[in-house]
């Protein structure tokens, strides 16, 4: 009988399951700051986070026991700090590679690394890197994925889940094992310098690429087309007048 359903070399080979924690990212970061030795690829998952964190200081809410909320520890010291967006590509592609065979091609990466199904969010990624000089030292990769949650209350027209799409529940542990396998595969592509493949696949799966849409900037709305992402991970939007390169705090998608 096979007990270990993680067919990986290292991602998820060491896994810690917590019933309740503030945030799996914060927990991992605390272990790192106490110099607790950790195996590359260690996964910390929680049934309940009472202070789950999202990007831009948002909170991440998730119904207890219904979804995946976990963090992966990676020894990312081969990545230079100015190439850290490669890690965003690796992780979002690893998730997309897993979800598209299950829910279909309408599952896309909303820049920089939200996971969308049509116009609804089903997952989010929070990457927290520790740097040493010009290199990354290690990374905490937090992933929240709506799997078996059915009700999103006020967010009903903004959020969805795998089970809402499939009309049936999906095995959480099986999904976690598949995600770890695909993240590891993409991470090994990065280690092998296959950055052209990662860039192509990232763009191919980017939500709203090459489509004309409205975007909210600080003080104006613009109409433009996503053309790609630059080396720093900024979003390239072409308008009638110019081409802009914008970071996460400078631009918001308008989705109605
Ligand atoms: C976002 O879309 O804003 C990112 C959400 C990331 C949520 C995950 S859940 C597991 C890990 N622990 C956290 O506190 N956040 C990440």
């Amino acid at each position: 009988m096979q007990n270990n359903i993680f067919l990986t070399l290292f991602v998820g080979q060491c896994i810690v399951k917590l019933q309740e924690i503030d945030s799996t990212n914060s927990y991992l970061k605390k272990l790192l700051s106490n110099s607790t030795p950790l195996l590359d690829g260690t996964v910390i998952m929680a049934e309940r986070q009472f202070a789950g964190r999202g990007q831009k200081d948002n909170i991440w809410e998730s119904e207890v026991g219904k979804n995946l909320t976990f963090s992966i520890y990676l020894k990312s010291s081969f990545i230079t700090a100015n190439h850290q967006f490669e890690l965003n590509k690796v992780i979002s592609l690893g998730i997309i590679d897993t979800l598209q065979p299950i829910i279909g091609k309408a599952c896309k990466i909303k820049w920089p690394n939200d996971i969308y199904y049509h116009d609804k969010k089903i997952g989010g990624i929070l990457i927290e890197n520790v740097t040493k000089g010009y290199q990354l030292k290690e990374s905490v990769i937090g992933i929240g994925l709506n799997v078996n949650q059915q009700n999103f209350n006020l967010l009903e027209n903004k959020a969805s889940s795998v089970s809402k799409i499939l009309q049936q529940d999906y095995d959480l542990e099986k999904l976690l094992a598949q995600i770890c396998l695909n993240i590891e595969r993409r991470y090994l592509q990065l280690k092998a310098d296959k950055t052209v493949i990662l860039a192509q696949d990232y763009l191919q799966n980017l939500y709203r690429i090459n489509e004309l849409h409205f975007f909210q900037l600080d003080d104006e709305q613009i109409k433009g087309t996503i053309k790609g992402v630059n080396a720093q991970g900024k979003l390239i939007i072409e308008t009638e007048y110019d081409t802009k390169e914008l970071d996460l705090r400078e631009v918001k998608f308008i989705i109605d």
Side-chain angles (χ1 to χ4, degrees):
M1 253 254 288
Q2 168 134 7
N3 285 323
N4 182 4
I5 62 165
F6 286 77
L7 304 170
T8 54
L9 296 171
F10 62 102
V11 177
Q13 282 303 317
C14 173
I15 178 157
V16 179
K17 296 179 186 174
L18 304 171
Q19 224 160 49
E20 186 175 84
I21 195 73
D22 50 354
S23 143
T24 54
N25 265 39
S26 305
Y27 180 80
L28 246 181
K29 288 196 340 182
K30 240 171 269 159
L31 294 180
L32 295 180
S33 64
N34 296 336
S35 304
T36 312
L38 285 174
L39 285 176
D40 198 10
T42 294
V43 168
I44 311 286
M45 65 184 292
E47 275 207 16
R48 172 172 183 254
Q49 292 187 126
F50 52 84
R53 295 187 290 112
Q55 292 183 58
K56 292 195 280 185
D57 302 324
N58 286 325
I59 54 167
W60 182 259
E61 282 183 304
S62 178
E63 200 179 320
V64 182
K66 295 272 180 182
N67 300 317
L68 285 176
T69 47
F70 65 102
S71 302
I72 307 173
Y73 168 69
L74 290 175
K75 293 187 195 276
S76 51
S77 58
F78 68 98
I79 303 171
T80 53
N82 57 358
H83 285 115
Q84 55 188 281
F85 194 74
E86 296 300 323
L87 210 44
N88 295 61
K89 292 181 195 163
V90 162
I91 305 302
S92 41
L93 282 172
I95 297 174
I96 288 287
D97 293 341
T98 310
L99 290 180
Q100 282 187 347
I102 301 170
I103 57 175
K105 287 270 179 197
C107 179
K108 299 275 184 204
I109 302 161
K110 176 174 163 278
W111 175 86
N113 46 221
D114 282 345
I115 307 298
Y116 263 58
Y117 182 77
H118 290 288
D119 293 326
K120 293 185 178 182
K121 181 161 172 167
I122 59 172
I125 300 165
L126 177 65
I127 299 180
E128 299 185 282
N129 292 317
V130 179
T131 52
K132 192 175 177 195
Y134 293 113
Q135 296 292 124
L136 297 193
K137 182 169 175 253
E138 46 204 0
S139 301
V140 173
I141 314 288
I143 298 172
L145 196 62
N146 299 333
V147 185
N148 294 324
Q149 183 167 335
Q150 285 291 321
N151 300 311
F152 292 92
N153 307 318
L154 293 175
L155 295 175
E156 208 59 54
N157 40 19
K158 289 192 172 168
S160 191
S161 67
V162 172
S163 73
K164 283 195 87 154
I165 296 159
L166 294 180
Q167 301 288 316
Q168 63 180 54
D169 278 4
Y170 200 91
D171 186 293
L172 286 178
E173 199 166 340
K174 184 172 152 198
L175 190 60
L176 176 66
Q178 289 169 324
I179 290 172
C180 288
L181 186 63
N182 284 312
I183 286 179
E184 180 174 285
R185 193 175 71 87
R186 291 293 186 172
Y187 190 64
L188 293 177
Q189 277 185 338
L190 179 60
K191 272 200 166 167
D193 249 341
K194 303 256 190 301
T195 48
V196 175
I197 296 179
L198 289 169
Q200 274 170 359
D201 292 351
Y202 181 82
L203 290 190
Q204 210 163 59
N205 288 293
L206 203 57
Y207 174 75
R208 290 191 167 175
I209 189 156
N210 292 325
E211 295 174 15
L212 191 61
H213 287 281
F214 283 101
F215 296 88
Q216 185 67 50
L217 305 192
D218 245 3
D219 46 5
E220 54 167 345
Q221 270 194 12
I222 59 160
K223 199 173 176 186
T225 307
I226 296 176
K227 285 293 166 191
V229 173
N230 73 12
Q232 288 72 49
K234 288 188 176 184
L235 187 66
I236 303 171
I237 300 181
E238 201 174 86
T239 73
E240 203 184 335
Y241 313 103
D242 59 5
T243 301
K244 302 180 189 300
E245 301 194 348
L246 302 161
D247 71 29
L248 192 56
R249 297 198 182 259
E250 292 172 320
V251 58
K252 215 170 163 279
F253 285 62
I254 297 178
I255 303 170
D256 28 48

